[in-house]
Amino acid sequence: MRRGAIYQLAAFAVIAAAICVAVALLVPWLPVAAGVQAQRIDMVFWVTTGIAIFVFSIVAAVIVYSVWKFRAQPDDDSDGPPIHGHTTLEIAWTAVPAVLVTVIAVISAIVLARNGNAGPDPVKILVTGRQFEWSFTYSNGKTLGYLEIPEHRATELDITAVDVIHGFWVPQLSQKQDAVPGEHNKIVVTPTRLGTFPVVCTELCGLGHSLMRSHVNIVTQAQFASFMKSGGTTTASPGLAVFQQNGCSSCHTFKPAGATGKIGPDLDKLKEYAAQAHQGPLTAFIKESIVNPSAYIQPGFQNLMPKNFAQTIPAPKLAQLVQYLAENAH
Ligand code: CUA
């Protein structure tokens, strides 16, 4: 091969690689990390992806260039020149990948070890998955339908399930963890920015899988301290607010909310109704009755419930409402 052609090929390959790496790194493909562990995972992901894209681009560019530049001409019936291999090239393409793979392995091992380290005094929260909701039990004994964690402090999530396998995931916190009945899998999260982010289930766990959502509030350490002190009611019963905002009291009676509607079933008797409906856990029955009111109709009542609550009440609010009704039902 002529020296000029080699330089041309090399330039072509490097430009192709640079363009591909730029597209990978400059487009915001991932959600912005909200935790220290997520930042580390993103770093490993991008180092690995960057290397993969760079190598792939060079290989693809060399192939494309060779097919285009060195193809046989229509009138060329001669044999190609005899080629005997190239020792330097072979050593290079063995040694370089070996180094790259070792670098990835070392970085991954360091990140894995550091992400698993909760430090001396983590906040501990028990996360329980069940069809089809998440519940979070705090060290003050309170169990809520949403996760509340402090900024800049390690929280150890102890993740389990009661029925089938679920998957705990907050995209902004990066770490996915299976919730398995009888097992306690732990992850550590150290939030770096305030906000509310979705908690989703990533394991197909049944008909309500797509509805199995909650949310996480990342709050300041002071807010978290008062949240824990007040037994987890600083948010002034968010479920009650959802109940009122959606006009539930105009049709239903529910003493804890001061509601006296008579058009729909009496929500003070939710447990009784759930037993009659033979529908598993109370929370599942309540959620089903809200998002799919035709599923079970309490005898003595007409089915006048709006059928679009699944669309009009955002999933986190719905979880709060279900939690609120379940906690206050008799
Ligand atoms: Cu739980 Cu999907």
Side-chain angles (χ1 to χ4, degrees):
M1 210 182 343
R2 294 187 335 275
R3 195 155 284 265
I6 292 178
Y7 288 144
Q8 215 176 355
L9 192 160
F12 182 67
V14 170
I15 290 169
I19 291 172
C20 293
V21 170
V23 169
L25 298 185
L26 297 181
V27 176
W29 300 103
L30 301 180
V32 178
V36 173
Q37 294 77 14
Q39 289 168 353
R40 293 189 192 123
I41 291 169
D42 282 5
M43 186 271 289
V44 175
F45 176 83
W46 284 117
V47 166
T48 311
T49 306
I51 289 173
I53 291 172
F54 187 77
V55 172
F56 173 82
S57 316
I58 288 180
V59 171
V62 169
I63 292 171
V64 168
Y65 183 89
S66 304
V67 166
W68 160 60
K69 193 81 180 174
F70 306 125
R71 69 186 186 282
Q73 299 303 309
D75 56 347
D76 180 6
D77 294 328
S78 66
D79 289 337
I83 293 175
H84 215 71
H86 194 296
T87 310
T88 312
L89 204 53
E90 285 175 22
I91 290 174
W93 75 43
T94 306
V96 172
V99 170
L100 293 179
V101 170
T102 307
V103 166
I104 293 171
V106 170
I107 295 178
S108 303
I110 292 171
V111 167
L112 205 55
R114 293 183 68 184
N115 278 5
N117 182 2
D121 182 30
V123 174
K124 293 193 173 186
I125 299 171
L126 177 68
V127 179
T128 308
R130 62 168 64 78
Q131 289 169 317
F132 297 97
E133 59 163 13
W134 293 106
S135 59
F136 304 91
T137 305
Y138 298 83
S139 58
N140 60 9
K142 195 86 179 170
T143 299
L144 297 172
Y146 61 94
L147 180 58
E148 183 131 334
I149 50 176
E151 192 187 28
H152 301 310
R153 192 176 158 196
T155 294
E156 188 181 75
L157 300 175
D158 181 349
I159 300 167
T160 189
V162 295
D163 38 32
V164 299
I165 299 175
H166 303 274
F168 176 87
W169 188 39
V170 176
Q172 287 79 1
L173 296 174
S174 259
Q175 304 171 90
K176 273 183 194 168
Q177 182 61 63
D178 277 359
V180 183
E183 278 188 28
H184 286 263
N185 297 326
K186 289 175 183 166
I187 61 171
V188 179
V189 294
T190 310
T192 51
R193 60 192 183 98
L194 303 174
T196 298
F197 306 104
V199 174
V200 301
C201 177
T202 58
E203 197 74 53
L204 184 59
C205 54
L207 273 181
H209 164 67
S210 62
L211 296 173
M212 187 165 166
R213 287 168 158 261
S214 178
H215 66 281
V216 50
N217 293 330
I218 298 177
V219 298
T220 63
Q221 299 206 8
Q223 284 171 324
F224 186 73
S226 67
F227 165 82
M228 291 296 278
K229 216 168 159 186
S230 66
T233 53
T234 40
T235 31
S237 190
L240 173 59
V242 182
F243 187 88
Q244 289 164 342
Q245 284 156 11
N246 289 279
C248 305
S249 53
S250 57
C251 292
H252 294 283
T253 291
F254 194 51
K255 286 203 190 90
T260 54
K262 294 274 183 283
I263 295 168
D266 180 350
L267 301 183
D268 287 315
K269 296 179 182 160
L270 269 174
K271 282 184 179 161
E272 207 177 295
Y273 296 159
Q276 290 172 20
H278 303 297
Q279 290 232 359
L282 181 62
T283 47
F285 171 68
I286 294 173
K287 192 166 183 175
E288 171 86 324
S289 300
I290 296 170
V291 300
N292 182 17
S294 314
Y296 170 78
I297 298 162
Q298 182 63 28
F301 292 92
Q302 276 186 292
N303 185 21
L304 298 173
M305 179 99 159
K307 292 175 183 58
N308 60 348
F309 279 134
Q311 287 83 46
T312 58
I313 306 179
K317 300 254 180 214
L318 182 61
Q320 289 168 349
L321 178 58
V322 171
Q323 186 79 24
Y324 169 72
L325 290 170
E327 276 175 358
N328 292 285
H330 296 289

